[in-house]
Amino acid sequence: MSRENEELVPRWYVVHTYSGYENKVKTDLEKTVKNRELEDFFFDIVVPMEEQIEIKDGKRKTNLKKVFPGYVLVKMIVTEETWYIVRNTRGVTGFVGSGTDPIPLTEDEIRSMGFEKFEIDVDYDVNDSVKIIDGAFADCVGTVQEINKEKHKVKVLVSMFGRETPVVLEFSQVQKV
């Protein structure tokens, strides 16, 4: 693993574990990081969970369910030492990647999973004119009606067939006119 020239920036990596060991891997790794004082290299260790609503015998019950059974997500700076520590944590079978090189998740992958929030600044406001640059309404011009920063969506009023029609788009699909 030659990483001498690589910037030391934290990235999200996927660690494969034995099924059922996800939480144990998380707590063991957190302990090791604390004991070895490596907090400057490990930023977050996550077992992604989602609420699942179950209705049994007419009673509504909410459980937490693992989104990716057998995987733990780790935001870390990869060095020889940190790679070795993760790789040798009990219950870990390896990093997702090719051979010895773990492959970090892309920003799009992280965003689509929704476990890390990205603040995106847009250069348009409500009532501004925008051009749709991607999707079924590409090249249409409309007026921004609503901006949802949490979901990275914008509602644009587009004139179609002589009437205003609201269209919900991703931030990346529009640009200010």
Side-chain angles (χ1 to χ4, degrees):
M1 285 191 0
S2 60
R3 303 205 171 279
E4 296 81 39
N5 301 336
E6 194 174 295
E7 262 186 85
L8 293 180
V9 287
R11 306 280 302 271
W12 282 100
Y13 295 89
V14 181
V15 177
H16 192 262
T17 69
Y18 292 120
S19 190
Y21 275 74
E22 302 87 353
N23 292 325
K24 179 108 178 81
V25 165
K26 175 180 163 52
T27 53
D28 287 355
L29 199 47
E30 286 169 343
K31 277 185 206 154
T32 304
V33 167
K34 194 174 190 323
N35 291 344
R36 297 199 183 189
E37 297 179 357
L38 291 169
E39 290 90 343
D40 292 344
F41 294 90
F42 290 88
F43 297 83
D44 208 352
I45 302 167
V46 177
V47 178
M49 306 289 268
E50 67 184 359
E51 280 189 359
Q52 188 178 40
I53 296 166
E54 203 177 287
I55 297 172
K56 234 184 198 169
D57 304 326
K59 289 188 174 72
R60 184 184 166 114
K61 190 178 158 196
T62 305
N63 315 348
L64 279 179
K65 175 182 153 243
K66 291 182 186 95
V67 180
F68 308 113
Y71 295 96
V72 175
L73 303 170
V74 182
K75 186 173 190 177
M76 63 186 280
I77 294 172
V78 173
T79 64
E80 292 284 345
E81 184 183 13
T82 61
W83 179 87
Y84 182 84
I85 286 168
V86 173
R87 190 67 194 81
N88 289 288
T89 298
R90 196 161 160 259
V92 169
T93 59
F95 279 95
V96 172
S98 58
T100 57
D101 279 341
I103 297 172
L105 292 170
T106 65
E107 280 196 11
D108 285 345
E109 289 168 330
I110 295 163
R111 198 174 295 121
S112 71
M113 290 180 199
F115 64 87
E116 181 169 274
K117 301 294 176 229
F118 286 88
E119 192 58 45
I120 295 180
D121 287 324
V122 290
D123 63 349
Y124 45 81
D125 287 309
V126 173
N127 297 327
D128 281 356
S129 285
V130 290
K131 180 179 182 181
I132 301 172
I133 55 172
D134 183 38
F137 299 96
D139 297 326
C140 290
V141 174
T143 307
V144 175
Q145 187 180 24
E146 195 179 296
I147 298 172
N148 183 333
K149 288 202 175 197
E150 284 83 52
K151 293 188 175 164
H152 304 159
K153 303 268 188 200
V154 58
K155 189 187 282 184
V156 178
L157 284 179
V158 179
S159 184
M160 282 193 299
F161 310 117
R163 54 194 260 206
E164 299 277 281
T165 305
V167 179
V168 178
L169 302 158
E170 299 281 332
F171 283 170
S172 62
Q173 292 181 284
V174 300
Q175 70 182 28
K176 190 173 180 176
V177 176

